[in-house]
Amino acid sequence: MLYLVGLGLSDETDITVRGLEVVKRASRVYLEAYTSILLVDQSVLESYYGRPVVVADREMVESNSDEILRDAQTEDVAFLVVGDPFGATTHTDLVLRARELGIPVQTVPNASIMSGIGATGLQLYNFGQTVSMVFFLDNWRPASFYDRIRENRSIGLHTLVLLDIKVKEQSLENMARGRKIYEPPRYMTVGQCAQQMLEIEEEKKEGVYGPDSLAIGAARVGSKTEKFAAGTLKQLCEADHILGGPLHSLVLLGNRAHELERDYAREFALDKNSWDNVWAANYSKA
């Protein structure tokens, strides 16, 4: 059996009882380590599980899945995913490959950012499509996310924006020369995301989300050190010192937001008077 095991959002103790049982009996245990991160080191996981864990980077998962699936027809193999295996990031390619080889697959679900973001006080059924924001480069500023944000906004729904992480990435020069030299990890912040959103809005000029639009920045959701900051996009551009280290996410508020959401999120407001005034002018109580 191939088991896809969700680890939750924070540390080694977030794994479910069922997931831990799978890990303890599996022949091999892999940790998917490029789409998200836990807030603890691999060594902490190994100590808690009482067994070694193989870190599976993007290259292994996408190009060497046969090693992960080796002997899984007759042995249990555990593939650990931060959050939920089919939450913000899916691993359908690995499942399809297992099916081709006649390997049974089971999923052990857990909390993900898709559910954990409810800690902002925003109601989950008021969210629309989730989008991802990547780091802009001098000659590459993808804006495909903008259309989905516009669609969400047009029907009053919130948008969860997942922020880019760069783990074990190569520079273009090293990639071209075939050198296995990797760049230091980088994690996008709420401030960077807010700034990029405003830059694209300035280019598009469609009035979807501007400097005075309300949003909520979230950091380390589900952990003991989770932090939220609510305000305008302009304010959130300067809020990274409040939110602290990775991982960050951003929620763009839809204009159908309920007054209960307003009151709950107000606790996180960078400037409560500004929050109240912008809300009264732009957001309904429906």
Side-chain angles (χ1 to χ4, degrees):
M1 181 79 70
L2 171 67
Y3 287 92
L4 295 146
V5 180
L7 295 184
L9 292 169
S10 179
D11 59 29
E12 73 280 9
T13 65
D14 282 352
I15 192 170
T16 64
V17 173
R18 181 181 169 216
L20 186 58
E21 290 174 348
V22 169
V23 168
K24 286 183 175 296
R25 72 169 182 263
S27 297
R28 298 188 309 282
V29 180
Y30 296 92
L31 171 64
E32 188 264 82
Y34 63 91
T35 60
S36 189
I37 59 168
L38 277 184
L39 302 179
V40 295
D41 294 332
Q42 174 188 352
S43 60
V44 176
L45 293 182
E46 292 179 327
S47 176
Y48 189 74
Y49 299 155
R51 59 172 310 152
V53 174
V54 178
V55 174
D57 59 16
R58 183 187 299 272
E59 183 177 356
M60 172 178 277
V61 177
E62 295 182 351
S63 304
N64 196 22
S65 62
D66 287 347
E67 170 57 25
I68 297 173
L69 299 175
R70 174 173 51 85
D71 299 328
Q73 294 95 335
T74 57
E75 301 175 354
D76 288 339
V77 175
F79 184 76
L80 312 183
V81 181
V82 177
D84 184 90
F86 295 106
T89 303
T90 64
H91 291 282
T92 51
D93 287 349
L94 185 62
V95 172
L96 291 174
R97 178 63 178 147
R99 287 177 179 173
E100 290 175 0
L101 296 173
I103 298 169
V105 179
Q106 283 192 9
T107 302
V108 183
N110 208 322
S112 77
I113 190 61
M114 308 286 281
S115 57
I117 200 64
T120 57
L122 303 180
Q123 297 167 0
L124 293 179
Y125 53 75
N126 281 344
F127 279 78
Q129 304 167 86
T130 297
V131 303
S132 296
M133 177 78 76
V134 300
F135 284 110
F136 287 174
L137 304 176
D138 291 340
N139 58 351
W140 188 64
R141 296 160 58 87
S144 58
F145 64 87
Y146 187 88
D147 292 338
R148 287 179 303 213
I149 291 175
R150 183 181 58 225
E151 290 172 1
N152 289 345
R153 185 66 187 259
S154 70
I155 53 177
L157 298 180
H158 311 312
T159 299
L160 171 60
V161 185
L162 304 178
L163 310 192
D164 199 7
I165 70 172
K166 298 292 187 185
V167 178
K168 204 175 180 181
E169 297 276 339
Q170 293 176 279
S171 67
L172 292 177
E173 179 182 355
N174 286 329
M175 189 180 300
R177 295 177 180 273
R179 297 186 299 214
K180 297 291 185 178
I181 301 174
Y182 301 100
E183 301 294 294
R186 288 194 298 150
Y187 306 98
M188 182 180 286
T189 66
V190 161
Q192 291 170 317
C193 179
Q195 182 60 47
Q196 290 189 179
M197 182 67 206
L198 293 178
E199 290 175 11
I200 293 298
E201 184 60 62
E202 182 63 23
E203 292 178 9
K204 298 283 189 178
K205 298 186 184 301
E206 296 184 26
V208 176
Y209 281 94
D212 295 327
S213 299
L214 293 181
I216 302 176
R220 302 171 305 283
V221 173
S223 76
K224 295 176 182 177
T225 64
E226 71 178 4
K227 193 78 174 178
F228 303 102
T232 65
L233 281 177
K234 183 178 180 180
Q235 291 171 333
L236 289 176
C237 286
E238 307 295 332
D240 286 347
H241 66 287
I242 295 173
L243 291 169
L247 291 171
H248 287 194
S249 302
L250 181 73
V251 180
L252 302 168
L253 267 67
N255 55 13
R256 275 175 41 193
H258 193 276
E259 59 185 4
L260 292 177
E261 296 176 288
R262 173 201 65 197
D263 295 343
Y264 194 107
R266 187 179 187 272
E267 178 66 23
F268 313 128
L270 298 169
D271 180 330
K272 289 182 170 53
N273 288 332
S274 171
W275 175 266
D276 293 339
N277 292 336
V278 174
W279 188 289
N282 298 285
Y283 294 84
S284 74
K285 298 180 181 180

